[in-house]
């Protein structure tokens, strides 16, 4: 089945720094999604991307759907302490799959005040 | 707006005991429903999904089962829990093949 490679696995940054993480797939996806999970809670959708080349922002977050349709990245600008959490990428393959998402293993972000 | 409810939030069970976790969705009809398990510090493992009442697909062989007795109700069960069943269980719903999944707040299950 499809697999997503998400990197980096973890990041330790200073408050105010920018963050970049990415996700790559061996197969083509027609949807890319980015989620954030706070400790002890379920993941929350941050950004959804549906078109190759699409660049979408949500506040300080920006995500792009790669031109090859096999990758996506998420940038966080001017990080703050509440950005701490696990960020997951997810994608949907081009074939019908009952809406099952393939998830990356997550990027754990730690922000030092 | 749509909401998803999971309960209980935390559960401590002895090995060999039964399990029933419930998930309900409000504000939408005929959603796709999903059960995931997440080990500490790990990613999400899809356990079951359902595209309609009584329709359950299992992703991995295991000690668990799922049922969908009503359109917006999804239940995760076990007859006899194992130590390896410990984890954080998440229910999610979506409205279609390309639509994002939306997650509940999860159930932390500890097996003693």
């Amino acid at each position: 089945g499809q697999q997503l490679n998400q990197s980096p696995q973890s990041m330790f940054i200073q408050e105010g720094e920018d963050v970049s993480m990415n996700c790559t797939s061996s197969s083509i996806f027609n949807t890319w999604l980015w989620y954030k999970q706070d400790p002890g809670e379920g993941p929350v959708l941050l950004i959804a991307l549906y078109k190759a080349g699409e660049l979408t922002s949500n506040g300080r977050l920006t995500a792009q759907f790669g031109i090859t349709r096999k990758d996506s990245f998420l940038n966080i600008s001017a990080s703050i302490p509440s950005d701490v959490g696990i960020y997951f990428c997810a994608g949907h393959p081009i074939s019908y799959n009952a809406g099952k998402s393939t998830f990356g293993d997550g990027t754990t972000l730690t922000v030092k005040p | 707006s749509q909401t998803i409810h999971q309960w209980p939030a935390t559960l401590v069970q002895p090995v060999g005991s039964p399990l029933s976790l419930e998930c309900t969705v409000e504000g939408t009809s005929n959603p796709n429903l999903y059960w995931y398990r997440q080990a500490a510090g790990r990613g999400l493992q899809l356990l079951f999904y359902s595209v309609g009442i009584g329709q359950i697909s299992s992703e991995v062989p295991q000690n668990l089962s799922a049922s969908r007795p009503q359109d917006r109700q999804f239940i995760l069960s076990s007859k006899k829990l194992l130590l390896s069943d410990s984890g954080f269980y998440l229910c999610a719903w979506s409205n279609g093949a390309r639509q994002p999944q939306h997650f509940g707040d999860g159930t932390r299950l500890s097996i003693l």
Side-chain angles (χ1 to χ4, degrees):
Chain A
Q2 297 87 3
Q3 289 190 338
L4 293 184
N5 294 312
Q6 186 172 351
S7 64
Q9 187 175 13
S10 60
M11 302 182 74
F12 297 83
I13 63 171
Q14 289 291 139
E15 183 176 0
E17 291 183 358
D18 296 342
V19 173
S20 184
M21 59 191 77
N22 67 81
C23 221
T24 59
S25 168
S26 58
S27 53
I28 292 174
F29 282 13
N30 64 11
T31 303
W32 282 98
L33 309 165
W34 285 92
Y35 292 85
K36 182 195 178 193
Q37 184 179 27
D38 290 328
E41 300 183 11
V44 173
L45 181 68
L46 299 173
I47 294 176
L49 303 160
Y50 298 102
K51 187 177 178 182
E54 181 180 356
L55 186 70
T56 298
S57 293
N58 178 4
R60 293 177 295 105
L61 278 62
T62 302
Q64 185 160 27
F65 191 138
I67 297 272
T68 65
R69 301 167 71 186
K70 291 184 177 182
D71 62 343
S72 177
F73 72 75
L74 175 70
N75 287 343
I76 304 173
S77 62
S79 59
I80 59 178
S82 62
D83 290 334
V84 165
I86 305 176
Y87 292 80
F88 290 101
C89 64
H92 292 173
I94 57 175
S95 57
Y96 175 74
N97 68 342
K100 293 186 294 180
S101 296
T102 300
F103 282 85
D105 286 337
T107 295
T108 300
L109 179 63
T110 302
V111 180
K112 303 174 186 175
Chain B
S1 62
Q2 301 90 355
T3 56
I4 179 169
H5 303 281
Q6 268 188 261
W7 67 92
T10 306
L11 190 60
V12 180
Q13 293 284 100
V15 170
S17 64
L19 173 73
S20 181
L21 301 181
E22 191 160 341
C23 172
T24 59
V25 180
E26 297 177 356
T28 187
S29 296
N30 196 30
N32 292 340
L33 297 172
Y34 311 85
W35 277 112
Y36 289 87
R37 178 168 57 206
Q38 185 178 30
R42 303 291 298 275
L44 303 172
Q45 179 187 33
L46 180 63
L47 302 176
F48 301 95
Y49 69 93
S50 171
V51 297
I53 296 175
Q55 301 179 58
I56 307 295
S57 295
S58 174
E59 286 294 292
V60 293
Q62 57 208 316
N63 185 42
L64 302 168
S65 61
S67 61
R68 185 171 177 173
Q70 301 181 42
D71 181 42
R72 288 169 289 175
Q73 184 184 28
F74 206 23
I75 297 172
L76 184 69
S77 304
S78 175
K79 293 182 179 178
K80 286 187 178 182
L81 285 167
L82 306 173
L83 283 173
S84 58
D85 291 324
S86 293
F88 190 48
Y89 287 84
L90 290 158
C91 181
W93 70 272
S94 76
N95 263 340
R98 291 192 69 187
Q99 297 305 307
Q101 294 178 23
H102 303 276
F103 289 84
D105 287 334
T107 295
R108 175 77 56 192
L109 176 64
S110 299
I111 311 298
L112 303 180

